[in-house]
Amino acid sequence: MKYSSIVILTGAGISAESGIKTFRDSDGLWENHKIEEVATPEGFIKNQKLVYEFYNQRRKQLREVEPNKAHIALAELEKNFKGRFTLITQNVDNLHDRAGSKNLIHMHGELLKARCQESGKIYDCTDNLDQSSKCDCCSPTNGLRPHIVWFGEMPLEMARITMELKRCNLFIAIGTSGNVYPAANFVRQAKLAGARAIEVNKETSQVYNHFDEHRYGLATELVPKLVEELLS
Ligand code: BJW
């Protein structure tokens, strides 16, 4: 194999075939909710009940879905690849974790975590959250919020991501539309570092012109094939 350091970025498209709706499809998750209502700090201040319920419903959905062949193939790649391997996901579901991925960065947070609004301490969260949910780290407590990166907030682990993008020689983006920054810019950063860039998607993304190679189709078909090629 000619690559020594691989960075993979995944988006909602990789979980679509597990049954989790993508954000910008016509029947997408946010059809009944305006983005600013459920995915901004301002929306949370305005209507906490709505935002808690939105994420409670999505947390519950995780019990009904399973990792698909694409998640599993990426975990296999990590297990068998001899060089550096970093998987960055924009997804807040736990399907990469459940497929067995280890060196995984959840840059937009995780549905199964909650954060103390006062101290920033992060807690595991499998049950519903609401306005009365309390942390056990401060008193008086300001309560817990979903550990999700909303618009206008800084994505997580950006320093580590930047370092990995600088040193990778293969960058692969799977199932992401290239609408949301800074993730949409990762391909440019990887290219500046000299990496080859491959896009795997059902259709062209907003940033498709920055990739060297495009593979269009379903993630569950294309990702296992690509992994097989990389490991052969
Ligand atoms: C398949 C498939 C199958 C389907 N097989 N493929 C103006 C210009 C530029 C930037 C900005 C701007 N104004 C504001 C900004 C910044 C803003 C932003 O990007 N806004 C844009 C809307 C313009 N970004 C932010 O605010 C971020 N923070 C930030 O920038 O901080 C400052 C900073 C400065 C410097 C450095 C670093 C930071 C925070 C962004 C937080 C995004 N959060 C969300 C919501 C999380 C909550 C939740 O989940 O409820 O994260 S938004 C939403 O979009 C979610 C996703 O992770 C993210 C990306 O979406 P994704 O994954 O690409 O999904 P889709 O649906 O768009 O696409 C699915 C794709 O799959 C499609 O392409 C399909 O074709 C494909 N597909 N089925 C293969 N079976």
Side-chain angles (χ1 to χ4, degrees), residues 8 74 77 170 172 174 198-200 213 215 221-232:
I8 299 185
L74 293 184
L77 177 60
L170 178 63
I172 304 171
I174 303 167
I198 303 176
E199 171 165 87
V200 178
E213 187 181 331
R215 299 187 179 203
E221 290 168 12
L222 296 180
V223 176
K225 198 158 165 274
L226 177 57
V227 166
E228 198 183 314
E229 284 169 32
L230 289 170
L231 290 175
S232 67

Side-chain angles (χ1 to χ4, degrees), residues 105-166:
I105 300 174
H106 276 280
M107 67 174 289
H108 288 163
E110 292 175 67
L111 279 170
L112 294 186
K113 293 203 170 143
R115 191 165 77 238
C116 167
Q117 299 192 76
E118 181 66 25
S119 71
K121 188 174 170 192
I122 294 160
Y123 292 87
D124 288 336
C125 171
T126 47
D127 294 328
N128 286 347
L129 281 177
D130 61 31
Q131 290 99 316
S132 67
S133 303
K134 302 287 181 213
C135 66
D136 58 18
C137 55
C138 4
S139 177
T141 172
N142 280 336
L144 292 168
R145 60 162 271 184
H147 184 48
I148 301 287
V149 177
W150 289 322
F151 283 106
E153 298 184 320
M154 185 63 85
L156 307 173
E157 302 208 52
M158 284 308 296
R160 186 172 152 210
I161 290 173
T162 304
M163 185 193 76
E164 294 301 342
L165 289 169
K166 273 188 183 153

Side-chain angles (χ1 to χ4, degrees), residues 7-186:
V7 172
I8 299 185
L9 171 70
T10 63
I14 197 164
S15 296
E17 292 166 80
S18 290
I20 300 182
K21 285 180 178 174
T22 64
F23 298 94
R24 287 163 192 86
D25 282 352
S26 52
D27 65 341
L29 186 66
W30 289 345
E31 197 179 8
N32 299 320
H33 297 286
K34 290 185 185 155
I35 288 179
E36 55 273 22
E37 283 175 356
V38 291
T40 62
E42 295 77 17
F44 185 56
I45 289 167
K46 200 168 163 198
N47 192 344
Q48 292 207 353
K49 189 168 182 284
L50 173 81
V51 176
Y52 279 122
E53 277 170 7
F54 178 70
Y55 288 99
N56 287 342
Q57 178 263 316
R58 294 179 58 199
R59 199 174 297 112
K60 192 169 146 229
Q61 187 193 24
L62 292 185
R63 296 187 209 129
E64 292 148 22
V65 295
E66 296 291 332
N68 65 44
K69 286 179 184 171
H71 299 104
I72 291 164
L74 293 184
E76 279 300 305
L77 177 60
E78 177 176 9
K79 206 164 131 196
N80 295 298
F81 179 61
K82 300 287 179 254
R84 281 184 84 81
F85 180 93
T86 308
L87 179 56
I88 305 166
T89 188
Q90 299 169 84
N91 300 342
V92 295
D93 65 51
N94 63 350
L95 296 180
H96 283 305
D97 312 67
R98 284 163 59 191
S101 289
K102 301 283 181 235
N103 199 18
L104 170 65
I105 300 174
H106 276 280
M107 67 174 289
H108 288 163
E110 292 175 67
L111 279 170
L112 294 186
K113 293 203 170 143
R115 191 165 77 238
C116 167
Q117 299 192 76
E118 181 66 25
S119 71
K121 188 174 170 192
I122 294 160
Y123 292 87
D124 288 336
C125 171
T126 47
D127 294 328
N128 286 347
L129 281 177
D130 61 31
Q131 290 99 316
S132 67
S133 303
K134 302 287 181 213
C135 66
D136 58 18
C137 55
C138 4
S139 177
T141 172
N142 280 336
L144 292 168
R145 60 162 271 184
H147 184 48
I148 301 287
V149 177
W150 289 322
F151 283 106
E153 298 184 320
M154 185 63 85
L156 307 173
E157 302 208 52
M158 284 308 296
R160 186 172 152 210
I161 290 173
T162 304
M163 185 193 76
E164 294 301 342
L165 289 169
K166 273 188 183 153
R167 65 194 298 178
C168 75
N169 50 12
L170 178 63
F171 175 81
I172 304 171
I174 303 167
T176 178
S177 62
N179 274 297
V180 175
Y181 288 82
N185 216 27
F186 291 172

